Amino acid sequence: MTEIYDKKGVQEKTFPEYDGIVRKAYDPGNGLLARYSSGSYGWYDVNNLPAYSSSSGITRARDNEENENNEDSEKTTAAEKQTAANSDEE
């Protein structure tokens, strides 16, 4: 602890490595360890690691694309209905 207080005010960009502590990628969707490079990393005790996610990371990206496409389609359909309703009023 004294090492931390001695360096107080110094902004360290690197952290010391300790035996038994490892950096692992995790799946941000469920918090489990990722078998792919998720871009999200955490530090773990090697004796207390969470399970691995069954997600490949690819499925989630496709789901997001489908959701975005569905939302765009719904917005377009709503706009078309509004336009049709406005032209019926004229």
Side-chain angles (χ1 to χ4, degrees):
M1 248 350 223
T2 57
E3 183 180 83
I4 294 170
Y5 289 116
D6 289 342
K7 291 185 178 185
K8 186 176 179 184
V10 177
Q11 294 189 5
E12 294 278 330
K13 298 281 183 179
T14 59
F15 295 95
E17 292 186 22
Y18 295 100
D19 291 336
I21 304 296
V22 292
R23 182 177 181 242
K24 298 273 187 180
Y26 67 88
D27 184 336
N30 58 25
L32 298 175
L33 294 180
R35 296 184 195 277
Y36 61 94
S37 179
S38 67
S40 300
Y41 296 92
W43 294 93
Y44 300 93
D45 181 341
V46 293
N47 297 319
N48 193 21
L49 290 172
Y52 279 90
S53 172
S54 60
S55 174
S56 65
I58 296 169
T59 304
R60 196 175 72 245
R62 285 186 184 155
D63 287 346
N64 287 341
E65 287 175 16
E66 289 174 8
N67 288 340
E68 289 172 7
N69 290 340
N70 287 341
E71 289 173 8
D72 290 343
S73 177
E74 289 171 6
K75 289 176 186 175
T76 302
T77 303
E80 289 169 351
K81 287 179 182 177
Q82 184 63 39
T83 303
N86 289 342
S87 48
D88 286 344
E89 291 175 2
E90 294 174 5

